[in-house]
Amino acid sequence: MAEPVEKKPEKESPETKGWLYKWTNYIKGYQKRWFVLQNGLLSYYRNQAEMAHTCRGTISLHGAIIHTENYSCNFVVSNGGGTQTFHLRASSEVERQKWVTALELAKAKAIQMMESDEEDEGDQEFPVEISKQELLNAVRGMSNKLEDLRTCNDLIVKHGHALQRSVSDLEQGTGSIKDGGDRKADVASIQPRVKILNERATLFKITSNAMINASTEYLELTQTQGKKWQRLLSHEREQRLRLEEMVEQLARQHSQLEHQCKKTNYNTMERTTNHNHKRTNSNVSHASTAPDSSSATTNTIKDEPKSSDSISNSEDEDDFHDAVTDPEYVDFTVSCAPAHRRTTSNVSAASTRSDGATSHREEETDYSSDQEDAHTLNIVKKREKKREDLPDGDKNNKTTTPVKRASGRERRSRIPDKPDISFSLWSVMKNCIGKDLSKIAVPVNFSEPISFLQRLCEDFEYSEILDRAAGCSDDHEQMALVAAFTVSSYSSTAIRAGKPFNPLLNETFEFDRREDLGWRCIAEQVLHHPPMVAQYCESEQGGGWRCWQEFTMRSKFKGKYLEVEPLGITHLEFKNSGNHYTWRKVKTVVHNIVIGKLWIDQHGEMEVVNHTKGDKCYMKFEPYSYFGGTPKKVTGTITNLDGKVEWVLNGTWDSKMEGSNVIGEAMVKGKSSLEIGASKVLWKKNPMDPQAEKYYNFSKFTCELNELEDYVAPTDSRHRPDQRLMEEGRWDEANTEKVRLEEKQRATRRQREIEAELAQQEGREYEAPNPTWYRAVPDQFNNGKLIHEYQGGYWEAKDTQEWVMCPDIF
């Protein structure tokens, strides 16, 4: 692999050059590169042709560390500061030993040369900062030297041609002498030619000397500037390393502070509760309306439960009796639209438990800050009887009639286990701070084996909510179910932090579940930059509904967390009622990018609008707080056209949503509050397989998405090879295939750009490729902005298996 060492003049070091394999990244692995070792520098190029103009990297062997492994072809070369490292592999151990020997000799000579240079130059150091003017002067000086070299080169070419002509003339004259004739006359005719030859040879020599001098000056200038810039570059790399270490250290400190803050806050609340219990013990308990303990409570419980025995034995049971809340009611708060103004409370929402858990609260809590948040409503509800106290006919009045489902064909319930391969996400993301997520090349190690088209289809995992809504005669209850459906789409993200595969342009995904769930869906990647997905779903269940959406996003990596802001809009239309709804999704934040376990939070405000009747639903996804509160809490209200609150919603986006209709107003604790009726469970998450953590925390529905099916389009995500290889646990092959697909897509895009430029030069119109199944049309419900709508034809093409319109993307 390495060529024999070539002996150079004494002023230069021996040169070793040849092919080695260099580690690039986890996607491409080891790549073949051309390495050159000369003058104490180890440099590499992609190929030999690049040596004339582009060097990909260089390590100075002075102070370098050369590490080898026994019985291996691998070796590592790194500079003293650790700012640059080459992980190399030779074709054999013998070849590796040749390189290591050459490197060690070059290192020893580089140290000797450096010591001699230091003796000659003293302690002179280059500054670690350089002004813009100094940089411009250096560049200008090198440009002038280059111009001198070009001039000398032109002169050498000119005088070289003249010299060559003179030599040819002299050869012709010498030939005529050999043929015979008058020797004296011939010699006399040759002498002028010899004189001309000598003159031109002298000019060529002078020009060559000028070229040599100009080259020497240019070399000295570049070496001087090179040392300075190398020092500057080394300083910048050290600064960057220190900055990375500081960021990691700050992240660790931040995590420790979070943990300490939670612990301190918990201890403070516990002491306060114990102190209050000593001060006052009421004999009245209050029912709560929170979800069961298996899921996160939908609202913060105001007071600690207390047993009746401890209350009856209290010596101060009559103290602060006026502060006891009305025993018939429990109260909590929900978010309302910002325009709504009403007397509110700063107390966190009471739970919506239906099993009769008890709680109490004190006067200080009830009246501390009645107007702290003008965007919340105080809600009261009569304490409900325990389930065992209800008549048999009333025990199941909390849920609507479930939708009947057909059995359908047998589908898989899990996928192969995830390989146990650890890798730091920070090592990839640290160079991407402030960049768009869609433009970051992420290896499959951080992905999950489904595409974003399939992830978007997970919105319909709980499609039975829409089937129930389609059969509703009450518009406000229908709105409540639609709101619950929008929340249910986030349930799969609670414990899944993997990134789905970015779809290729014109990639599609269809999911036909009419046989069991009653709906079918088709989605397509309609744009690549910015990435945009269009989706259409239709169902005949419950009277019929159809849902379509266009999804794009704006994402930024902020150092410790990743923020994804959806920009698309979703439409939903029911055939029976004619009601047309729209909404936009809330932000998603991925925490602990630098250190710790990744976790996801959803927060923001969502407004669901019924464009047919004018009703609106306002929901607030509460952000996670270090100072208590209910994680993943969602609260909201449904208002009619006149702004009157008709329904109240509360729950958590990873567990369940409940809703209650407003039945009037009630005076509790001297103030007017909205009173609601019995709660209905609008949505509840299906239980997960206890072994789901082994296969990416996928639900059964998610596992079914990438299952191979016959007769789907050739552009379907199920046919994507890198995604399939990852699902099968062959991650190295998946990374290689991922690079191939991305390069193919880039080549196609470059070809289209060339065609568009050529068409512009020729003055003709260039027809850009369009989505296969969608077209951009004005959206009458979104101020006429363009939205990609399904144009039909996919299912008909599937029936006939005519896929000529589908491009070759895999």
Side-chain angles (χ1 to χ4, degrees):
M1 182 170 286
E3 296 181 359
V5 175
E6 302 174 2
K7 294 296 181 181
K8 299 290 182 181
E10 292 182 1
K11 292 185 179 180
E12 297 184 9
S13 303
E15 181 181 71
T16 302
K17 55 186 178 181
W19 292 104
L20 288 172
Y21 292 91
K22 179 182 177 295
W23 174 262
T24 55
N25 54 52
Y26 277 90
I27 297 178
K28 297 184 178 180
Y30 282 96
Q31 296 292 318
K32 195 175 182 181
R33 297 289 184 260
W34 180 257
F35 278 78
V36 176
L37 172 61
Q38 188 177 21
N39 295 328
L41 299 176
L42 178 64
S43 307
Y44 78 94
Y45 312 84
R46 283 193 175 177
N47 48 56
Q48 300 177 51
E50 276 194 350
M51 292 179 62
H53 54 83
T54 304
C55 178
R56 298 288 173 175
T58 301
I59 287 183
S60 174
L61 295 180
H62 177 263
I65 299 173
I66 303 170
H67 174 72
T68 59
E69 300 175 5
N70 294 330
Y71 311 107
S72 171
C73 299
N74 297 340
F75 62 102
V76 179
V77 181
S78 111
N79 61 4
T83 55
Q84 192 170 17
T85 303
F86 292 166
H87 294 267
L88 307 174
R89 186 172 67 193
S91 59
S92 65
E93 289 188 43
V94 175
E95 193 69 22
R96 184 204 68 173
Q97 192 56 45
K98 288 181 180 179
W99 274 100
V100 171
T101 302
L103 288 169
E104 293 289 358
L105 291 173
K107 176 182 175 181
K109 189 163 186 178
I111 293 174
Q112 294 175 0
M113 292 178 62
M114 184 66 70
E115 290 174 352
S116 62
D117 290 341
E118 288 176 355
E119 291 175 358
D120 295 337
E121 298 176 6
D123 297 331
Q124 179 181 2
E125 289 188 357
F126 295 109
V128 295
E129 294 184 1
I130 186 171
S131 64
K132 183 177 180 180
Q133 187 60 40
E134 185 179 356
L135 180 63
L136 291 175
N137 291 337
V139 173
R140 192 179 296 113
M142 286 188 288
S143 298
N144 293 335
K145 295 296 181 185
L146 275 176
E147 189 62 33
D148 293 342
L149 287 173
R150 293 192 187 96
T151 303
C152 291
N153 179 67
D154 294 340
L155 290 173
I156 285 178
V157 172
K158 177 181 177 182
H159 294 314
H161 289 323
L163 182 61
Q164 189 174 4
R165 287 195 299 270
S166 297
V167 171
S168 299
D169 292 343
L170 186 60
E171 287 177 349
Q172 291 176 1
T174 305
S176 62
I177 292 176
K178 292 180 180 179
D179 294 338
D182 189 352
R183 182 175 296 275
K184 291 183 178 180
D186 292 336
V187 170
S189 65
I190 290 175
Q191 285 179 347
R193 298 180 183 179
V194 172
K195 184 179 180 180
I196 294 173
L197 177 63
N198 291 332
E199 290 175 354
R200 290 178 176 176
T202 303
L203 287 175
F204 186 81
K205 183 178 179 181
I206 293 172
T207 308
S208 299
N209 289 334
M211 180 72 168
I212 292 172
N213 293 333
S215 300
T216 303
E217 292 175 1
Y218 182 76
L219 179 62
E220 291 176 353
L221 180 60
T222 52
Q223 285 180 341
T224 303
Q225 295 296 331
K227 291 178 181 178
K228 183 185 298 184
W229 291 348
Q230 188 173 7
R231 180 176 177 81
L232 291 171
L233 180 60
S234 177
H235 176 72
E236 290 297 326
R237 286 172 175 166
E238 291 173 1
Q239 290 283 78
R240 179 175 175 177
L241 280 176
R242 284 196 291 269
L243 180 60
E244 290 176 5
E245 292 173 358
M246 288 173 59
V247 170
E248 293 187 21
Q249 185 178 3
L250 286 173
R252 293 191 186 95
Q253 293 175 355
H254 188 73
S255 298
Q256 293 173 359
L257 286 173
E258 288 178 9
H259 179 72
Q260 188 65 29
C261 185
K262 293 177 188 176
K263 185 177 179 181
T264 304
N265 185 60
Y266 175 78
N267 293 337
T268 302
M269 292 178 62
E270 192 174 41
R271 287 196 301 269
T272 303
T273 304
N274 293 336
H275 178 66
N276 290 340
H277 282 182
K278 292 178 181 179
R279 289 183 56 202
T280 175
N281 290 308
S282 171
N283 62 346
V284 181
S285 61
H286 308 287
S288 88
T289 55
D292 52 22
S293 58
S294 62
S295 62
T297 56
T298 55
N299 297 290
T300 303
I301 299 176
K302 290 185 177 183
D303 316 288
E304 283 290 325
K306 193 162 56 173
S307 66
S308 58
D309 294 338
S310 63
I311 297 173
S312 61
N313 294 332
S314 171
E315 297 178 358
D316 303 322
E317 62 180 11
D318 294 330
D319 289 350
F320 306 102
H321 184 73
D322 292 338
V324 175
T325 311
D326 189 336
E328 294 185 5
Y329 290 94
V330 291
D331 66 332
F332 57 94
T333 58
V334 296
S335 299
C336 63
H340 202 288
R341 293 293 180 268
R342 192 175 182 86
T343 302
T344 59
S345 170
N346 71 326
V347 184
S348 298
S351 62
T352 54
R353 184 186 298 274
S354 60
D355 59 2
T358 59
S359 63
H360 79 283
R361 56 182 183 270
E362 298 181 328
E363 183 176 359
E364 292 89 348
T365 301
D366 289 336
Y367 296 95
S368 59
S369 176
D370 205 35
Q371 291 291 340
E372 182 177 342
D373 188 355
H375 299 163
T376 60
L377 285 176
N378 197 56
I379 308 297
V380 296
K381 178 181 176 181
K382 284 191 175 181
R383 183 163 55 88
E384 300 171 358
K385 296 180 181 180
K386 295 182 180 180
R387 293 181 63 84
E388 56 265 24
D389 296 336
L390 292 172
D392 292 340
D394 296 335
K395 289 185 178 180
N396 298 320
N397 63 350
K398 297 258 182 208
T399 58
T400 57
T401 304
V403 179
K404 293 183 179 179
R405 296 290 191 191
S407 59
R409 69 176 178 85
E410 185 71 21
R411 295 178 182 268
R412 67 181 184 180
S413 59
R414 61 165 297 161
I415 62 174
D417 288 351
K418 177 181 178 180
D420 186 13
I421 303 175
S422 61
F423 189 67
S424 171
L425 181 58
W426 172 244
S427 63
V428 175
M429 301 297 286
K430 66 184 180 182
N431 298 323
C432 307
I433 296 177
K435 294 183 180 179
D436 192 326
L437 178 64
S438 63
K439 298 180 181 179
I440 299 175
V442 180
V444 301
N445 304 53
F446 307 111
S447 299
E448 52 185 17
I450 59 171
S451 74
F452 190 80
L453 298 171
Q454 293 166 320
R455 170 69 78 89
L456 205 61
C457 187
E458 286 187 81
D459 288 1
F460 298 98
E461 180 173 359
Y462 298 95
S463 60
E464 67 271 11
I465 305 175
L466 297 182
D467 298 339
R468 288 161 52 193
C472 279
S473 57
D474 185 346
D475 290 335
H476 301 130
E477 183 177 0
Q478 186 181 76
M479 171 74 87
L481 288 166
V482 172
F485 172 75
T486 66
V487 175
S488 71
S489 64
Y490 296 101
S491 62
S492 63
T493 66
I495 54 176
R496 279 168 52 195
K499 176 183 177 292
F501 280 71
N502 289 333
L504 303 174
L505 186 62
N506 296 121
E507 184 175 336
T508 61
F509 176 71
E510 62 132 289
F511 208 38
D512 191 348
R513 298 299 296 266
R514 289 175 297 174
E515 60 182 3
D516 53 351
L517 302 181
W519 54 267
R520 63 182 181 182
C521 173
I522 172 66
E524 181 182 2
Q525 181 85 353
V526 294
L527 287 178
H528 185 60
H529 283 302
M532 181 179 290
V533 174
Q535 183 194 64
Y536 179 81
C537 185
E538 59 186 3
S539 172
E540 298 299 329
Q541 292 282 345
W545 53 267
R546 62 192 188 107
C547 182
W548 64 98
Q549 64 176 311
E550 183 182 78
F551 185 93
T552 184
M553 64 182 182
R554 180 167 52 229
S555 57
K556 289 291 183 181
F557 175 52
K558 300 298 184 68
K560 190 176 183 293
Y561 64 91
L562 179 70
E563 183 179 88
V564 179
E565 180 183 1
L567 301 178
I569 188 171
T570 305
H571 292 258
L572 173 65
E573 186 178 77
F574 292 102
K575 295 182 179 179
N576 284 350
S577 63
N579 288 335
H580 190 114
Y581 298 88
T582 62
W583 66 88
R584 299 178 187 273
K585 297 187 174 183
V586 297
K587 289 183 180 180
T588 298
V589 179
V590 184
H591 293 271
N592 288 349
I593 296 293
V594 179
I595 190 172
K597 184 178 181 181
L598 294 176
W599 62 279
I600 289 180
D601 191 26
Q602 317 283 352
H603 68 81
E605 299 174 352
M606 178 186 291
E607 187 176 60
V608 184
V609 181
N610 183 346
H611 294 274
T612 306
K613 303 294 175 61
D615 302 332
K616 292 183 179 181
C617 174
Y618 171 86
M619 288 188 294
K620 184 173 183 180
F621 290 65
E622 299 285 351
Y624 174 78
S625 173
Y626 303 127
F627 305 101
T630 304
K632 307 176 178 67
K633 184 172 79 169
V634 182
T635 60
T637 55
I638 296 175
T639 57
N640 61 17
L641 183 61
D642 299 325
K644 180 183 176 183
V645 178
E646 299 287 352
W647 271 66
V648 172
L649 308 174
N650 56 33
T652 56
W653 54 263
D654 69 330
S655 175
K656 72 175 181 180
M657 286 294 293
E658 294 183 345
S660 307
N661 63 317
V662 177
I663 59 177
E665 293 193 4
M667 294 295 295
V668 178
K669 297 182 295 183
K671 64 181 179 182
S672 177
S673 302
L674 290 179
E675 182 179 357
I676 60 175
S679 297
K680 289 185 177 180
V681 177
L682 304 174
W683 159 74
K684 188 173 183 179
K685 184 180 178 181
N686 297 327
M688 293 286 291
D689 181 0
Q691 302 294 320
E693 188 176 0
K694 295 181 179 180
Y695 49 95
Y696 309 91
N697 286 307
F698 279 4
S699 66
K700 183 179 182 301
F701 182 85
T702 308
C703 291
E704 297 168 353
L705 293 172
N706 202 42
E707 186 176 7
L708 286 171
E709 291 190 14
D710 298 328
Y711 311 117
V712 298
T715 54
D716 196 274
S717 297
R718 299 176 181 89
H719 296 315
R720 183 165 176 165
D722 54 347
Q723 184 175 307
R724 182 65 56 188
L725 288 168
M726 183 191 178
E727 180 183 296
E728 294 171 356
R730 298 151 64 183
W731 284 14
D732 290 339
E733 297 174 62
N735 277 319
T736 303
E737 193 64 23
K738 184 173 184 287
V739 172
R740 183 190 68 81
L741 290 175
E742 291 173 350
E743 289 296 335
K744 181 177 181 179
Q745 182 171 238
R746 293 189 189 100
T748 302
R749 185 175 70 249
R750 286 193 294 267
Q751 181 62 32
R752 289 171 178 171
E753 290 172 353
I754 293 172
E755 293 174 358
E757 186 177 355
L758 183 62
Q760 185 178 8
Q761 293 174 356
E762 295 176 354
R764 55 185 175 85
E765 185 177 355
Y766 174 71
E767 294 184 4
N770 293 315
T772 309
W773 310 107
Y774 288 81
R775 293 293 181 270
V777 297
D779 187 351
Q780 60 174 322
F781 298 100
N782 192 25
N783 300 321
K785 295 181 180 179
L786 294 179
I787 184 174
H788 285 85
E789 283 191 357
Y790 177 58
Q791 298 300 299
Y794 178 85
W795 305 109
E796 293 77 7
K798 183 180 180 181
D799 291 338
T800 60
Q801 287 296 294
E802 293 289 338
W803 301 115
V804 292
M805 71 292 291
C806 295
D808 176 21
I809 60 175
F810 298 140

